[in-house]
Amino acid sequence: MDEAGSSASGGGFRPGVDSLDEPPNSRIFLVISKYTPESVLRERFSPFGEIQDIWVVRDKHTKESKGIAFVKFARSSQACRAMEEMHGQCLGPNDTKPIKVFIAQSRSSGSHRDVEDEELTRIFVMIPKSYTEEDLREKFKVYGDIEYCSIIKNKVTGESKGLGYVRYLKPSQAAQAIENCDRSFRAILAEPKNKASESSEQDYYNNMRQEALGHEPRVNMFPFEQQSEFSSFDKNDNRGQEAISKRLSVVSRVPFTEEQLFSIFDIVPGLEYCEVQRDPYSNYGHGVVQYFNVASAIYAKYKLHGFQYPPGNRIGVSFIDDGSNATDLLRKMATQMVAAQLASMVWNNPSQQQYMQFGGSSGSQLPQIQTDVVLPPCKKKAPPETPVKERLFIVFNPHPLPLDVLEDIFCRFGNLIEVYLVSGKNVGYAKYADRISANDAIATLHGKILNGVRLKVMLADSPREESNKRQRTY
């Protein structure tokens, strides 16, 4: 869908970029009749819970409905229950064609049945190591019918690792468990079995040969890139005739605040500042956005020109000619890309770091972290001689982060002893003097993107178990 007109809910439109998928799986995607009004959707779906927004996809020129709509609920369990009960139903007495209801996903998702079975019914929890499967079932059966429970155990000792899975029969039951269980369980939706194994650390090493041959999966640095409702921009822009700079001009028929402008353009990493400019002669919204580098500005111009905010109002984004030479800017952008690639190579092989010198002073400037994750403030590291209570295994995709950035990230949870990279591999380890701090790091960072790198953070095997692993000969 490259055009999306919408009608906002009576309660007002909430900023879509920041809250569209918060909480996750709280939006449903509807295939309906072209003649179904929003009032009917609200009437039929409001019994399932608080509706935050309803918007109908319309033709760009005729403004007629395309027979597609989205409904945003306040809670994931509400959206899941609406999907379970309304999929295949008729909305009105005169309707002969049943509607289709799915949880809204990106285009890369599989079919509805695969999504329901694999992504919405199995949850991953942290549990006391003394728990048995029966204890786990007893704790979580209050939220719905459980298909099975499993506890992840050390393959050598058979002891629990303090992690488990609970599979429900319905997505709404899994959502209820995540929303209502004790926070100490850190419950989240588990990745489908065909996407991730329960022993991620071992699987990573088993797949090293495929990655060495160039089969490494691509990571989406911008989570909204494949969301169809964010693809509303004019693809016929003549950027070749336009001055290129790090500064962008933003124009809207509807006035906006500086916070709203920031929330839209901050989805592209590298935002330096934004400023709203008041026009006393019109009610239009005008703003200026500046990025730290030209690459981010180009990407923001391409992705956000024509973006609808609020729905039905397209914003215009153009470069501001600041007198810079476009050729020089593009050359700088290419240099930045090469420097990033070189940095990745160097961090993969720390022995080469002494050969890579950058210009400028080597002052103690704090590393810059670009992410949508809410990180706690920095805390002091534990002394190097402190006993290790928990070790974390970290997987980076597509390349490792620099050590100073890693240390800045992982020390924020307290009691960090050391963080280090494995030479030549996209993995590393973090040592903590406290298990609670390590568990907080897992809960906050696992699956998140920081500085364009997706992290997988999980409990590491014990050193004794690692020493028993068979070494690779290639």
Side-chain angles (χ1 to χ4, degrees):
M1 295 178 295
D2 52 355
E3 307 100 16
S6 64
S7 46
S9 65
F13 178 78
R14 297 189 178 183
V17 172
D18 288 336
S19 63
L20 196 67
D21 286 312
E22 288 296 331
N25 303 315
S26 58
R27 286 186 308 136
I28 56 174
F29 171 78
L30 310 176
V31 180
I32 56 177
S33 167
K34 293 182 179 180
Y35 306 104
T36 302
E38 179 187 337
S39 58
V40 172
L41 294 178
R42 182 173 297 279
E43 178 186 352
R44 294 302 304 272
F45 284 91
S46 58
F48 299 103
E50 178 190 348
I51 294 178
Q52 293 182 337
D53 282 297
I54 297 178
W55 62 103
V56 178
V57 179
R58 301 184 183 277
D59 185 87
K60 179 179 180 180
H61 303 289
T62 66
K63 306 302 181 183
E64 293 181 353
S65 168
K66 288 188 173 183
I68 295 173
F70 292 88
V71 178
K72 171 72 171 67
F73 286 93
R75 298 168 72 92
S76 305
S77 57
Q78 298 167 350
C80 290
R81 197 160 64 89
M83 175 190 68
E84 293 162 4
E85 298 192 21
M86 293 300 294
H87 182 68
Q89 301 293 320
C90 293
L91 289 180
N94 298 326
D95 291 341
T96 58
K97 190 174 181 180
I99 65 171
K100 296 180 180 179
V101 186
F102 313 118
I103 294 295
Q105 298 274 331
S106 64
R107 291 178 180 176
S108 60
S109 300
S111 66
H112 164 62
R113 182 57 53 189
D114 289 339
V115 170
E116 178 180 327
D117 288 344
E118 294 296 332
E119 294 188 20
L120 301 176
T121 57
R122 200 166 65 113
I123 66 173
F124 174 76
V125 293
M126 293 184 180
I127 55 177
K129 292 187 176 181
S130 60
Y131 264 36
T132 64
E133 290 186 2
E134 196 56 41
D135 295 330
L136 185 59
R137 179 181 294 272
E138 191 67 25
K139 276 287 184 182
F140 283 88
K141 71 179 184 180
V142 295
Y143 306 111
D145 298 324
I146 294 176
E147 183 176 338
Y148 67 81
C149 296
S150 63
I151 293 178
I152 302 176
K153 297 181 179 180
N154 187 303
K155 294 182 179 179
V156 176
T157 65
E159 295 180 353
S160 168
K161 288 189 173 184
L163 304 170
Y165 291 91
V166 180
R167 173 72 177 269
Y168 287 92
L169 296 181
K170 294 182 178 181
S172 60
Q173 297 167 343
Q176 285 274 9
I178 292 175
E179 293 167 357
N180 299 316
C181 73
D182 191 282
R183 291 197 173 191
S184 63
F185 289 111
R186 309 277 187 180
I188 57 173
L189 280 176
E191 291 186 356
K193 289 184 177 180
N194 59 350
K195 291 185 180 179
S197 168
E198 295 180 0
S199 180
S200 302
E201 181 178 357
Q202 182 177 356
D203 284 351
Y204 176 84
Y205 285 110
N206 290 341
N207 292 330
M208 281 299 294
R209 179 176 294 176
Q210 288 188 356
E211 295 185 6
L213 294 175
H215 299 154
E216 183 177 352
R218 295 180 59 189
V219 59
N220 183 8
M221 292 177 61
F222 304 96
F224 299 101
E225 183 173 357
Q226 295 185 0
Q227 290 281 358
S228 56
E229 55 266 40
F230 285 118
S231 302
S232 304
F233 52 81
D234 183 5
K235 297 183 184 295
N236 296 321
D237 293 339
N238 294 321
R239 278 183 292 276
Q241 302 175 2
E242 190 174 20
I244 298 176
S245 71
K246 295 184 292 184
R247 303 184 71 200
L248 301 173
S249 172
V250 185
V251 180
S252 167
R253 289 177 299 174
V254 178
F256 46 72
T257 66
E258 195 165 294
E259 291 180 354
Q260 291 171 329
L261 186 65
F262 184 89
S263 68
I264 295 172
F265 284 84
D266 194 40
I267 66 172
V268 178
L271 180 62
E272 184 174 0
Y273 76 87
C274 61
E275 177 185 351
V276 172
Q277 300 175 337
R278 305 296 178 187
D279 186 349
Y281 302 103
S282 74
N283 291 325
Y284 279 36
H286 298 269
V288 174
V289 174
Q290 179 163 318
Y291 286 89
F292 285 103
N293 58 76
V294 69
S296 295
I298 291 175
Y299 191 87
K301 163 69 170 68
Y302 176 72
K303 295 304 293 183
L304 296 176
H305 176 60
F307 173 70
Q308 295 193 26
Y309 180 79
N313 172 67
R314 294 177 183 270
I315 63 174
V317 184
S318 58
F319 292 105
I320 296 178
D321 189 356
D322 57 1
S324 302
N325 187 312
T327 304
D328 290 340
L329 286 170
L330 291 173
R331 187 182 297 116
K332 289 180 181 178
M333 182 176 70
T335 303
Q336 292 167 355
M337 294 174 63
V338 172
Q341 184 65 25
L342 286 174
S344 172
M345 295 169 58
V346 169
W347 287 114
N348 279 332
N349 189 358
S351 64
Q352 297 181 5
Q353 291 184 21
Q354 57 180 320
Y355 299 110
M356 189 166 181
Q357 300 292 334
F358 294 98
S361 63
S362 57
S364 58
Q365 185 177 3
L366 291 176
Q368 184 179 4
I369 301 174
Q370 297 173 353
T371 181
D372 58 355
V373 180
V374 179
L375 295 174
C378 291
K379 298 179 182 177
K380 289 185 178 180
K381 291 177 60 179
E385 64 275 7
T386 306
V388 178
K389 295 293 185 181
E390 199 70 87
R391 256 180 5 131
L392 303 184
F393 176 70
I394 313 163
V395 181
F396 307 92
N397 191 353
H399 57 74
L401 291 168
L403 273 175
D404 59 336
V405 175
L406 278 179
E407 187 171 297
D408 181 48
I409 293 170
F410 283 88
C411 76
R412 295 170 180 264
F413 304 95
N415 301 291
L416 177 69
I417 301 174
E418 179 189 13
V419 61
Y420 59 94
L421 297 170
V422 178
S423 178
K425 302 183 185 296
N426 290 352
V427 299
Y429 291 87
K431 296 179 179 179
Y432 281 93
D434 181 74
R435 288 190 174 90
I436 296 178
S437 299
N439 289 336
D440 288 342
I442 294 175
T444 303
L445 300 175
H446 181 65
K448 305 302 182 186
I449 296 177
L450 292 93
N451 289 13
V453 176
R454 186 180 295 277
L455 304 184
K456 287 186 177 181
V457 185
M458 61 214 81
L459 294 176
D461 291 333
S462 64
R464 180 180 301 174
E465 182 179 349
E466 287 184 355
S467 64
N468 292 333
K469 287 184 178 180
R470 185 177 176 184
Q471 296 294 322
R472 288 199 174 274
T473 57
Y474 62 88

